């Protein structure tokens, strides 16, 4: 059967729609970075990321046009002021590209499992491959420039062991004495890294945001990120692991915003979605209940924070509605 005779499923529409919206938003950040980058190595890799994003946007647009499906608005040149001074230094631009890879690779893996039309499957397979290759380049460059600390190391165990007893509920809530296992160390470090990069982004956005309501919202996000970093670093230090600071604090003194407030709120919304996913994953593998308690609390706080941001977007008419199915109850009324 020809692909044109097979309509897109709801899952494929959702995957394409979300990919398009996110890619047009990321493109705005890359455009701003490329106006000011001085480091030729960083400029080269950001240009590669830009080409990939443009290719993905073009492919999704072609698919929607072939399906006679309404094209999402997403974000455009109206959402980025290329005449604005640099808000971040070259080093953060590299950190941002690296972080985008961390978020989009799981996204492409997830949507691949939901694709049933082979052309859509092949498209997302190519997206995952290309993003993985660029992410590897970004990681290598960050390591060479001393931007990315490696996760904590640990002594290799000498044998395989099994859990001998279940610790008491009281001890685990108050703070279990058992050392952290490799799963817990990995998740704690990743959450520190995620929040550190997000904190730098928020510092810059706070400098240029003029809307008081949005600025207050960003300040809440900054405090939430700082609380997570402090909590997770303390858990590592108590167990004799040290994370350092995964990214350099690289924000200029510019107070002129290169980004629309609509784009800023969307960026925070996307970051919240990633945080909810990673905190949920960390919670699922944490065997110490004191650590699980921290993840549960932060997960609740991030969900509440995310809801507040969505309300701000709806209030300003900036939240593009995902494609809806037919409301047959309304048809029945008519």
């Amino acid at each position: 059967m020809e692909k044109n005779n097979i309509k897109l499923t709801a899952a494929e529409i959702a995957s394409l729609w979300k990919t398009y919206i996110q890619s047009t938003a990321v493109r705005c950040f890359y455009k701003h970075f490329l106006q000011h980058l001085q480091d030729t190595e960083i400029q080269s890799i950001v240009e590669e990321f830009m080409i990939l994003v443009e290719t993905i946007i073009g492919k999704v647009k072609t698919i929607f046009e072939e399906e006679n499906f309404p094209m999402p608005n997403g974000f455009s040149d109206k959402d980025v002021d290329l005449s604005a001074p640099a808000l971040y230094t070259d080093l953060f631009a590299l950190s941002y590209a690296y972080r985008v890879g961390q978020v989009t690779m799981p996204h492409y893996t997830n949507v691949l499992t939901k694709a049933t039309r082979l052309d859509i499957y092949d498209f997302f397979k190519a997206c995952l491959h290309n993003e993985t290759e660029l992410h590897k380049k970004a990681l290598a460059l960050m390591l060479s420039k001393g931007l990315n600390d490696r996760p904590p190391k640990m002594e290799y165990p000498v044998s395989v062991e099994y859990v001998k007893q279940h610790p008491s509920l009281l001890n685990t809530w108050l703070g279990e004495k058992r050392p952290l296992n490799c799963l817990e160390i990995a998740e704690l470090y990743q959450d520190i890294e995620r929040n550190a990069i997000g904190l730098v982004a928020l510092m810059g956005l706070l400098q240029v945001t003029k809307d008081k309501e949005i600025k207050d919202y960003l300040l809440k996000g900054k405090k939430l990120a700082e609380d997570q970093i402090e909590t997770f670093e303390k858990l590592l230090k108590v167990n004799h692991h040290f994370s350092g600071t995964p990214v350099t604090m690289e924000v200029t003194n510019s107070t002129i915003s290169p980004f629309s407030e609509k784009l800023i709120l969307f960026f925070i919304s996307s970051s919240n979605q990633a945080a909810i996913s990673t905190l949920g994953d960390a919670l699922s593998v944490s065997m110490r209940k004191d650590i699980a308690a921290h993840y549960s609390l932060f997960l609740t706080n991030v969900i509440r924070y995310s809801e507040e941001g969505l309300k701000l977007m709806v209030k300003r008419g900036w939240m593009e509605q995902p494609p809806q199915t037919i409301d047959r109850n309304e048809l029945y009324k008519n």
Side-chain angles (χ1 to χ4, degrees):
M1 184 178 290
E2 293 292 330
K3 69 178 183 181
N4 291 336
N5 296 328
I6 305 175
K7 295 186 67 175
L8 295 169
T9 65
E12 290 163 343
I13 292 171
S15 300
L16 292 165
W17 184 87
K18 184 176 181 180
T19 297
Y20 184 86
I21 298 290
Q22 291 180 336
S23 296
T24 57
V26 168
R27 178 175 58 183
C28 293
F29 281 84
Y30 288 152
K31 283 190 173 184
H32 170 65
F33 295 149
L34 288 172
Q35 285 293 109
H36 304 284
L37 285 173
Q38 301 297 316
D39 186 304
T40 55
E41 289 182 306
I42 297 176
Q43 181 182 12
S44 176
I45 199 166
V46 172
E47 286 175 346
E48 287 189 68
F49 273 101
M50 182 69 167
I51 291 171
L52 176 58
V53 166
E54 291 280 17
T55 302
I56 290 170
I57 291 171
K59 179 60 177 179
V60 175
K61 185 176 181 181
T62 298
I63 293 171
F64 277 151
E65 287 175 346
E66 290 176 348
E67 296 293 324
N68 293 317
F69 196 91
M71 185 63 56
N73 289 328
F75 297 89
S76 66
D77 288 343
K78 295 179 181 179
D79 296 293
V80 56
D81 181 1
L82 297 182
S83 66
L87 182 56
Y88 303 100
T89 67
D90 292 11
L91 298 179
F92 179 76
L94 176 57
S95 298
Y96 176 88
Y98 167 77
R99 177 59 186 156
V100 167
Q102 284 185 315
V103 173
T104 54
M105 287 190 296
H107 165 68
Y108 291 137
T109 302
N110 182 40
V111 300
L112 263 175
T113 65
K114 301 174 182 176
T116 53
R117 218 173 81 172
L118 293 182
D119 63 317
I120 304 301
Y121 188 97
D122 288 340
F123 166 58
F124 284 120
K125 179 183 175 183
C127 289
L128 176 60
H129 173 76
N130 294 330
E131 189 69 49
T132 302
E133 289 299 308
L134 280 181
H135 184 259
K136 181 180 178 181
K137 285 186 179 182
L139 173 59
L141 188 54
M142 288 182 71
L143 290 170
S144 72
K145 293 183 179 295
L147 284 181
N148 193 353
D149 289 341
R150 297 178 186 273
K153 297 180 176 63
M154 59 178 284
E155 295 295 329
Y156 293 174
V158 296
S159 63
V160 176
E161 296 183 6
Y162 287 84
V163 177
K164 294 181 175 62
Q165 65 179 30
H166 191 278
S168 72
L169 181 63
L170 179 61
N171 287 339
T172 51
W173 279 114
L174 294 178
E176 190 185 340
K177 301 303 181 183
R178 171 182 66 76
L180 297 171
N181 62 40
C182 60
L183 299 175
E184 293 159 345
I185 294 171
E187 295 298 335
L188 287 169
Y189 179 83
Q190 184 185 46
D191 282 310
I192 293 171
E193 180 185 57
R194 172 179 57 81
N195 280 285
I197 295 176
L199 185 58
V200 179
L202 281 167
M203 289 169 59
L205 298 176
L206 275 165
Q207 287 181 188
V208 298
T209 301
K210 302 298 186 277
D211 187 298
K212 184 181 183 304
E213 194 172 22
I214 295 177
K215 186 181 287 287
D216 289 343
Y217 179 67
L218 297 183
L219 283 169
K220 291 180 183 179
K222 180 174 178 289
K223 179 65 166 57
L224 185 54
E226 289 170 339
D227 288 346
Q228 291 181 74
I229 293 172
E230 180 181 357
T231 299
F232 298 145
E233 281 192 333
K234 183 177 179 181
L235 283 167
L236 287 177
K237 289 176 181 177
V238 166
N239 289 269
H240 310 291
H241 298 288
F242 300 92
S243 65
T245 302
V247 292
T248 308
M249 299 301 176
E250 295 289 343
V251 182
T252 72
N253 62 356
S254 174
T255 57
I256 300 174
S257 181
F259 310 120
S260 69
E261 289 170 338
K262 173 186 174 183
L263 178 60
I264 290 173
L265 277 181
F266 178 83
F267 170 75
I268 302 301
S269 175
S270 297
S271 299
N272 288 336
Q273 291 176 20
I276 291 170
S277 177
T278 54
L279 286 169
D281 288 342
L283 176 60
S284 70
V285 300
S286 296
M287 299 174 67
R288 272 180 45 171
K289 290 188 175 64
D290 59 328
I291 297 176
H294 287 301
Y295 281 131
S296 297
L297 176 60
F298 284 127
L299 184 57
T300 300
N301 291 341
V302 171
I303 290 173
R304 289 174 178 168
Y305 181 67
S306 178
E307 182 180 6
E308 184 179 344
L310 294 178
K311 287 180 179 178
L312 285 175
M313 293 177 69
V314 171
K315 178 181 176 181
R316 287 165 168 73
W318 294 341
M319 187 172 179
E320 193 167 342
Q321 182 168 272
Q324 304 288 301
T325 188
I326 296 173
D327 187 344
R328 297 198 178 275
N329 289 327
E330 287 298 317
L331 294 178
Y332 298 156
K333 291 178 184 179
N334 294 331

